[in-house]
């Protein structure tokens, strides 16, 4: 049993590019998620009362409502982004509970990639909604002196987003690995159940926080 | 390239691709389907609302019509009842009148019937009584009684005024004896020479003398006739009394 | 006691202190958040969904500090840049 915290084993090289285990895992998750999404979208149309269709409709509805509530009015792209974030992170976390699979979100590279996507989505959404001047104005809003603080807060919250998700998932996985090493079979089961809960909760929090950040950028010029 | 950097870049690209796929193949169609369904539901709800309103209106119409009908029916019923009642009253009054008329007629007829009956009865009883008396006298055939009758006739003749008595007809049930004839002639006085004697058996006993001044009847037939008349009168009086009572 | 040993001892102690203080602070903060959320829920049951969402977000943000502590402790223990050897 190896305790992996920051390392990411390279499985093979595709030309000059090293392919790590996280990349493989996330690709598999992406493929599975895309297939399930396409299938459930078809199910929603054909059998609207099946469990799959209900879950899918509920998900779409709740994210639409969430974005409408946070940003002030509905935004399909933002809802798509936050819904995709939730689905991807949740699927990665749940996949991490499978034996032998290291969760893709347990790697700092993955979580920081997601956080950087959110980091870049915020100004894009803000400029799209308020125009360049309207968006840039909110950096100087209460006082021009606070502009550095705004920038630091943007960076730090992105960092916090990445590290929070990584720390939660990695620590949960590490805890399970430690318990398996120390106590053995069946003892870490409650911790694994807690990990399931925490994984879903962290996915939800990641999605909500990114929605809140983007929604704040959208409604920044409207105060 | 370091594995961490490649992983970072790959994950970012991977997530963007995934977001695109999900947005295009999951969120968009699902949202579309939900919107379609919501539109359909809204249309259906509006349709149902419309139909409900129509139904309520129709129900109201039907209720109004029913109320009107009920009112009409009630008024017709009351009118019919009143008409029937008046008709019945009329019929009743007519019938009562008729029955009263009939009753009166019947009463009259009954009273008339009883009067004639009484009269008939009286006559019959008088006739019977007279017949009985006459039969009695016929069977008795007493000479004393005969002579008494003759003497009574004589007395009546003597009480009459002497003038104007003629002509005189003496009728008797049998031929009178000399003595009796003399007696009668004495009683007649001056008109005795005009006297004619005839025999009439229906007198039973006694004599009947017709004078210019009236009839002197001293015969059983006359008695019975008198008795019969008297009896009839008596019975009729009592019957009338009884009837009036 | 060479330098490596001293560094290891200090790193372990620092990791322990980091975890302890981070856990204490996060626990206190989360307890306050929970109490406040209960209070708000009791006052306004209609706003349950909004309150619950805010509660989870706040919990996660407070929790993130202790997670940061955990990450730093782990870095100190397993990925200490001042330790030449990998791990302790």
């Amino acid at each position: 049993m190896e305790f992996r915290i920051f390392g990411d084993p390279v499985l093979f090289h595709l030309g000059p590019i090293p392919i790590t285990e996280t990349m493989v895992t996330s690709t598999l998750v992406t493929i599975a998620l895309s297939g399930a999404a396409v299938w459930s979208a078809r199910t929603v149309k054909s059998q609207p009362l099946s469990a799959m269709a209900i879950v899918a409709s509920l998900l779409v509805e709740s994210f639409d409502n969430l974005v409408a509530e946070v940003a002030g009015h509905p935004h399909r792209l933002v809802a798509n982004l936050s819904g995709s974030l939730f689905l991807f992170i949740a699927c990665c976390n749940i996949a991490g509970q499978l034996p032998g699979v290291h969760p893709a979100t347990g790697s700092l590279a993955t979580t920081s990639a997601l956080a950087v996507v959110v980091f870049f989505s915020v100004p894009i959404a803000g400029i799209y909604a308020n125009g360049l001047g309207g968006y840039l104005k909110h950096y100087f809003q209460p006082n021009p002196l606070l502009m550095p603080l705004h920038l630091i807060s943007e960076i730090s919250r992105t960092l916090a987003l990445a590290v929070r998700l990584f720390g939660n998932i990695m620590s949960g996985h590490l805890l399970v690995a430690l318990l398996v090493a120390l106590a053995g079979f069946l003892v870490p089961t409650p911790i694994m159940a807690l990990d399931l809960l925490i994984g879903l909760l962290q996915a939800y929090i990641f999605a909500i926080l990114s929605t809140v950040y983007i929604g704040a950028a959208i409604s920044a010029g409207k105060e | 390239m370091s594995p961490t950097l490649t992983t970072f870049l790959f994950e970012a690209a991977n997530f963007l691709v995934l977001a695109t796929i999900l947005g295009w193949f999951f969120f968009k169609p699902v949202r579309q389907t939900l919107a379609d369904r919501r539109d359909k539901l809204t249309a259906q709800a509006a349709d149902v609302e419309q139909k409900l309103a129509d139904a309520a209106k129709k129900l109201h119409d039907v209720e109004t019509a029913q109320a009107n009908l009920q009112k009409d029916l009630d008024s017709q019923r009351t009118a019919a009842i009143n008409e029937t009642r008046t008709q019945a009253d009329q019929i009743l009054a007519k019938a009562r009148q008729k029955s009263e008329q009939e009753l009166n007629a019947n009463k009259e007829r009954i009273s008339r019937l009883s009067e004639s009956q009484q009269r008939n009865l009286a006559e019959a009883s008088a006739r019977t009584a007279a017949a009985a008396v006459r039969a009695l006298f016929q069977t008795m055939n007493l000479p004393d009684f005969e002579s008494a009758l003759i003497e009574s006739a004589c007395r009546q003749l003597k009480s009459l005024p002497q003038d104007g008595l003629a002509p005189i007809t003496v009728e008797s049930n049998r031929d009178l004896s000399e003595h009796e004839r003399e007696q009668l002639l004495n009683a007649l006085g001056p008109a005795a020479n005009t006297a004619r004697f005839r025999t009439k058996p229906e007198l039973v006993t006694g004599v009947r003398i017709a004078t210019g001044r009236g009839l002197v009847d001293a015969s059983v037939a006359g008695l019975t006739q008198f008795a019969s008349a008297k009896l009839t009168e008596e019975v009729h009086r009592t019957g009338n009394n009884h009837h009036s009572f | 006691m060479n330098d490596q040993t001293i560094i290891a001892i200090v790193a372990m102690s620092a990791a322990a202190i980091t975890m302890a203080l981070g856990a204490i602070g996060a626990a206190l903060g989360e307890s306050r958040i929970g109490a406040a959320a209960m209070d708000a829920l009791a006052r306004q049951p209609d706003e349950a969904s909004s309150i619950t969402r805010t509660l989870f977000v706040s919990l996660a943000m407070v929790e993130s500090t202790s997670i940061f502590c955990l990450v730093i402790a782990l870095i100190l223990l397993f990925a200490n840049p001042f330790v030449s050897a990998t791990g302790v």
Side-chain angles (χ1 to χ4, degrees), chain A residues 26-27 30 61 64 80, chain B residues 10-11 14 26 31 37-38:
Chain A
S26 60
T27 309
T30 303
E61 283 279 290
D64 279 356
N80 287 1
Chain B
F10 177 81
E11 289 296 339
N14 181 35
F26 178 66
R31 211 173 272 146
R37 203 175 297 152
R38 197 172 294 134

Side-chain angles (χ1 to χ4, degrees), chain A residues 10 17-18 20 22-23 26-27 30 34 37-38 40-41 44-45 48 56-57 60-61 64 76 79-80 83-85 88 109-110 112-114, chain B residues 1-4 6-12 14-34 37-38:
Chain A
V10 177
I17 305 165
T20 59
T22 305
M23 289 161 79
S26 60
T27 309
T30 303
S34 305
V38 170
S40 66
V44 167
K45 197 164 269 180
S57 327
V60 173
E61 283 279 290
D64 279 356
R76 291 183 175 184
N80 287 1
S84 302
L85 279 172
F88 180 67
T110 312
S112 48
L114 296 174
Chain B
M1 289 173 91
S2 85
T4 311
T6 22
T7 310
F8 174 79
L9 291 175
F10 177 81
E11 289 296 339
N14 181 35
F15 175 72
L16 288 177
V17 168
L18 177 68
T20 313
I21 290 174
L22 286 184
W24 198 257
F25 291 107
F26 178 66
F27 282 98
K28 199 177 160 187
V30 170
R31 211 173 272 146
Q32 188 63 42
T33 313
L34 289 179
R37 203 175 297 152
R38 197 172 294 134

Side-chain angles (χ1 to χ4, degrees), chain A residues 5-6 66 69 160 163-164 166-168 170-171 174 201 204-205 208-209 213, chain C residues 49-50 52-53 56-57 59-61 63-64 67-68 70-71 74-75 78-79:
Chain A
I5 297 164
F6 299 108
L66 177 71
E69 216 170 296
V163 174
R164 182 187 303 122
F166 160 72
N168 272 290
M170 182 271 294
S171 64
L174 188 69
L201 194 62
Y204 181 63
I205 284 164
I208 281 189
L209 283 179
Y213 297 157
Chain C
S49 64
S50 171
T52 312
R53 196 176 66 231
F56 279 133
V57 171
L59 280 180
M61 296 188 87
E63 180 86 16
S64 66
I67 293 296
F68 294 161
L70 173 70
V71 171
L74 289 174
I75 286 172
F78 297 105

Side-chain angles (χ1 to χ4, degrees), chain A residues 64-108:
Chain A
D64 279 356
N65 290 340
L66 177 71
V67 170
E69 216 170 296
V70 169
H73 51 91
H75 259 274
R76 291 183 175 184
L77 281 176
V78 179
N80 287 1
L81 182 71
S82 57
S84 302
L85 279 172
F86 172 76
L87 284 176
F88 180 67
I89 295 168
C91 283
C92 283
N93 294 348
I94 290 168
Q97 301 298 319
L98 295 173
V101 179
H102 196 265
T105 42
S107 152
L108 194 55

Side-chain angles (χ1 to χ4, degrees), chain C residues 1-55:
Chain C
M1 270 176 84
N2 54 6
D3 289 350
Q4 287 298 317
T5 316
I6 293 168
I7 288 172
I9 290 169
V10 170
M12 282 185 193
S13 311
I17 292 166
T18 308
M19 265 325 293
L21 292 181
I24 287 170
L28 288 176
E30 285 187 22
S31 66
R32 291 186 64 119
I33 289 172
M38 293 291 165
D39 201 23
L41 271 174
R43 279 172 203 269
Q44 288 172 304
D46 296 342
E47 297 290 322
S49 64
S50 171
I51 289 170
T52 312
R53 196 176 66 231
T54 319
L55 167 70

